[in-house]
């Protein structure tokens, strides 16, 4: 009997040893569980930006456990309620510029987090319905340098801002004078293409020339010939002129037109 027990002893030792070996293969510690955990989403991804054609949307990854080593992005076009979504071709970057085709739809973002143990996807809530792009502001005629008279509209108004005459003093022997007028608008900018009319007052002292057009510097030049009414008296000291400036085809008395009386010195002894 003793011999029989001695023969069985090695078998029991082997059984115990095998059980211990099997137990050693199973590691239930926290370190082993952490190495086999793919990312888990704690807070869904979000989208920042304005839901308007031409605007840029930016992905926010959300919060994840499992120490993600990277993220992938897929922008999705959805109906107005955020359903019936489909991936937007090529939209796999962290930002997305809204296009005309997105107008009237909503956009959602799918973020996929990954690590060595796997991948997990999470989707954002939809944006507001994408609106049309804001029309660019209409350029003002005053933005041009120089402004063009034919494009100006009230409340802009032309202004006779400068005058010159040659000779600088009109003499008793003067037969021809050259008058120059500078027309401005838009806070003092010279105006191109304004029509300038001038006549001496009284009207029969110098001829009335055709309207002259201002150049890019805002100046218009008009040549006037002496008539039998000059001088108006032997004591005349000033030559008064009525000046009018208007836009082509514009109202003579309204719109952007302007009128002004100017005067130049007279010395009849010359």
């Amino acid at each position: 009997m003793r011999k029989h027990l001695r023969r069985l002893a090695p078998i029991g030792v082997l059984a115990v040893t095998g059980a211990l070996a099997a137990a050693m293969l199973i590691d239930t510690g926290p370190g082993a569980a952490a190495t086999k955990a793919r990312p888990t989403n704690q807070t869904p991804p979000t989208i920042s930006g304005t839901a308007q054609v031409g605007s840029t949307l930016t992905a926010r990854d959300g919060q994840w456990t499992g120490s993600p080593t990277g993220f992938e992005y897929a922008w999705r076009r959805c109906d107005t309620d955020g359903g019936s979504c489909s991936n937007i071709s090529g939209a796999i970057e962290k930002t997305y510029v809204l296009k005309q085709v997105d107008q009237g739809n909503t956009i959602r973002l799918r973020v996929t987090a990954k690590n060595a143990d796997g991948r997990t996807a999470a989707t954002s809530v939809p944006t507001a319905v994408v609106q049309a792009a804001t029309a660019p502001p209409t350029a003002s005629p005053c933005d041009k340098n120089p402004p063009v008279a034919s494009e100006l509209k009230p409340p802009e108004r032309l202004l006779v801002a400068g005058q010159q005459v040659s000779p600088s003093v009109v003499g008793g022997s003067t037969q021809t004078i050259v008058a120059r007028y500078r027309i401005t608008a838009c806070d003092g900018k010279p105006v191109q293409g304004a029509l300038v009319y001038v006549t001496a007052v009284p009207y029969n002292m110098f001829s009335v020339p055709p309207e002259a057009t201002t150049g890019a510097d805002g100046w218009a030049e008009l040549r006037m010939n002496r008539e039998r009414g000059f001088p108006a008296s032997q004591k005349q000291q000033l030559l008064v002129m009525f000046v009018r400036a208007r836009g082509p085809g514009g109202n003579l008395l309204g719109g952007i037109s302007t009128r002004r009386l100017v005067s130049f010195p007279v010395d009849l002894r010359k």
Side-chain angles (χ1 to χ4, degrees):
M1 184 69 172
R2 290 178 180 174
K3 293 181 180 180
H4 180 71
L5 289 174
R6 281 197 295 268
R7 285 195 299 267
L8 291 176
I11 297 175
V13 172
L14 290 175
V16 172
T17 305
L20 289 173
M24 291 175 65
L25 294 175
I26 301 173
D27 186 351
T28 57
T35 60
K36 294 186 178 181
R38 65 180 184 177
T40 301
N41 181 252
Q42 301 298 307
T43 303
T46 58
I47 299 172
S48 65
T50 303
Q52 187 174 56
V53 174
S55 296
T56 298
L57 301 181
T58 301
R60 300 285 184 258
D61 299 333
Q63 294 182 344
W64 299 79
T65 60
S67 301
T69 57
F71 296 95
E72 295 176 355
Y73 306 97
W75 295 91
R76 297 168 62 79
R77 185 179 297 118
C78 310
D79 62 23
T80 55
D81 296 321
S84 302
C85 302
S86 60
N87 288 347
I88 301 172
S89 177
I92 56 174
E93 303 297 331
K94 192 164 185 174
T95 60
Y96 174 67
V97 178
L98 291 167
K99 311 211 170 24
Q100 187 65 44
V101 69
D102 298 319
Q103 182 176 332
N105 297 295
T106 60
I107 301 294
R108 301 184 83 162
L109 169 69
R110 177 174 290 169
V111 175
T112 300
K114 57 184 179 178
N115 63 16
D117 297 313
R119 304 157 60 90
T120 304
T123 303
S124 72
V125 298
T127 64
V129 175
V130 178
Q131 302 300 310
T134 302
T138 303
S140 167
C142 287
D143 293 336
K144 290 187 175 181
N145 288 302
V148 179
S150 61
E151 299 175 357
L152 295 175
K153 306 293 181 187
E156 294 300 333
R157 191 168 184 181
L158 301 177
L159 175 69
V160 180
Q163 60 274 339
Q164 299 174 353
V165 69
S166 179
S168 57
V169 177
V170 181
S173 61
T174 299
Q175 298 300 310
T176 300
I177 58 176
V178 177
R180 301 180 72 239
Y181 297 95
R182 186 173 187 263
I183 308 302
T184 65
C186 305
D187 296 325
K189 288 186 176 182
V191 175
Q192 184 174 16
L195 299 177
V196 179
Y197 167 87
V198 63
T199 183
V201 181
Y203 301 111
N204 63 345
M205 290 190 294
F206 286 85
S207 61
V208 179
E211 284 181 304
T213 304
T214 57
D217 59 357
W219 286 94
E221 184 174 288
L222 302 100
R223 183 175 294 271
M224 307 170 70
N225 297 318
R226 181 172 178 167
E227 293 190 344
R228 57 188 179 88
F230 180 78
S233 75
Q234 294 303 312
K235 296 181 179 181
Q236 184 172 347
Q237 296 181 334
L238 293 174
L239 176 61
V240 178
M241 294 189 183
F242 170 82
V243 185
R244 181 190 68 218
R246 66 183 179 93
N251 191 315
L252 298 180
L253 300 176
I256 65 169
S257 67
T258 190
R259 293 152 295 283
R260 182 180 173 187
L261 290 174
V262 300
S263 62
F264 300 103
V266 172
D267 186 348
L268 298 177
R269 295 170 299 178
K270 292 188 175 182

